[in-house]
Amino acid sequence: MPGKHVFEYAVVRVVPRVEREEFMNVGVILYCKKLNFLQAIITVDEDRLCCFTNREDVQEIKANLYAFDQICQGSPESGPIGTLDEASRFRWLTATRSTVVQASKVHPGLCTNPLQTLIRLHTQLVL
């Protein structure tokens, strides 16, 4: 049986009106240092998001969420942050901030397969 590896994850949230503190979970980001794994799964239910904000803001929010994925991949599109190592990119993405796209507190766990764990967490916390 494969060994278990420590991983960390955070829920990605959209907070369209920061002052109202209402949010919608839209994704999960998971980092496993031992397996060099950093990935996010983002799913935006546009109709549900429109309960929090107007339809015109949804495209801008989706563009900001796309940046999460690009940073995880270390894509050249992600700018200087994308050139950092995986741990630094994860810490940057999960840093506390008061913006429309935020991450929850970081939670630890153990897994044998980080991708399967990411999919499971995404299903439980977002869908």
Side-chain angles (χ1 to χ4, degrees):
M1 175 157 70
K4 293 199 175 206
H5 306 286
V6 174
F7 72 91
E8 299 173 88
Y9 77 94
V11 179
V12 179
R13 300 174 171 159
V14 172
V15 188
R17 305 284 178 259
V18 176
E19 67 278 5
R20 290 171 55 175
E21 298 184 9
E22 298 172 330
F23 65 86
M24 181 176 127
N25 293 345
V26 295
V28 177
I29 179 173
L30 188 141
Y31 170 59
C32 180
K33 179 180 180 176
K34 179 85 171 177
L35 299 177
N36 297 319
F37 183 92
L38 176 61
Q39 189 172 331
I41 298 178
I42 307 288
T43 303
V44 179
D45 180 335
E46 291 186 27
D47 291 333
R48 187 168 168 228
L49 185 54
C50 285
C51 293
F52 293 87
T53 190
N54 60 54
R55 195 158 291 276
E56 293 77 33
D57 290 342
V58 171
Q59 294 310 312
E60 184 176 347
I61 290 169
K62 285 176 71 175
N64 288 325
L65 291 166
Y66 177 72
F68 256 71
D69 189 47
Q70 295 301 302
I71 291 169
C72 283
Q73 293 177 30
S75 167
E77 291 180 46
S78 61
I81 301 301
T83 64
L84 299 174
D85 62 35
E86 288 173 338
S88 298
R89 293 194 317 264
F90 179 74
R91 300 287 172 241
W92 189 88
L93 288 168
T94 58
T96 302
R97 51 181 58 92
S98 182
T99 59
V100 173
V101 176
Q102 300 178 8
S104 71
K105 293 179 181 178
V106 174
H107 306 281
L110 293 171
C111 70
T112 55
N113 183 319
L115 180 58
Q116 287 178 350
T117 302
L118 175 61
I119 292 168
R120 178 181 54 80
L121 289 169
H122 179 262
T123 301
Q124 291 175 343
L125 301 171
V126 178
L127 300 180

